[in-house]
Amino acid sequence: MSETSGAAIARRYIEAVGAHDLETVGGILAPELSAIFAGTTLGRDEWLAALKRLLPALTRNEIREVFADGDRACVVYDFVTDTPAGAVPCVELVTVEDEAITRIELIFDRVAFAPVNEALAARAAP
């Protein structure tokens, strides 16, 4: 059974992030992207910059499930890191319009993710 277009695009996006392929990610995101996480809303360029900051700790994304209903898709995956956090479960609710992602809502456990941020800060320190 093949995935719907929205599910396939959402899967491709998560896979591209996991592969550190921000060029592909940028091509999937709509110019008017709205990305929401932890009470913050970012535009397309800000979202790409946030992803770029995380890539040094990201080993890969392991997709568990992809669900879709019309233009909405839900991707459940593990954000696998080389930090003490290990794999952090994440969920992204994605809206796709005209073959591009226009909205992302990222849900994750901030406490479980804290060691990732700590490791990135330590690596950036002189």
Side-chain angles (χ1 to χ4, degrees):
M1 183 169 159
S2 66
E3 291 179 312
T4 65
S5 178
I9 290 168
R11 176 183 292 275
R12 191 170 69 218
Y13 155 70
I14 295 296
E15 289 173 343
V17 172
H20 297 206
D21 183 358
L22 291 184
E23 184 175 334
T24 295
V25 172
I28 294 170
L29 302 179
E32 69 278 6
L33 174 75
S34 175
I36 302 157
F37 76 102
T40 303
T41 301
L42 302 177
R44 181 184 180 280
D45 292 342
E46 295 167 307
W47 186 249
L48 286 168
L51 291 174
K52 186 175 182 177
R53 282 192 301 274
L54 293 174
L55 292 184
L58 176 63
T59 302
R60 66 188 176 282
N61 284 329
E62 290 182 358
I63 296 175
R64 295 183 187 186
E65 298 283 343
V66 179
F67 305 95
D69 183 17
D71 65 352
R72 300 272 291 157
C74 175
V75 184
V76 181
Y77 65 98
D78 288 330
F79 185 90
V80 182
T81 74
D82 66 356
T83 73
V88 180
C90 297
V91 176
E92 291 199 36
L93 302 173
V94 175
T95 302
V96 176
E97 297 175 17
D98 298 323
E99 303 295 311
I101 296 174
T102 58
R103 180 179 166 93
I104 296 170
E105 185 175 355
L106 170 61
I107 302 165
F108 65 99
D109 181 342
R110 292 175 75 180
V111 173
F113 200 83
V116 176
N117 290 326
E118 292 166 7
L120 287 170
R123 292 175 191 178

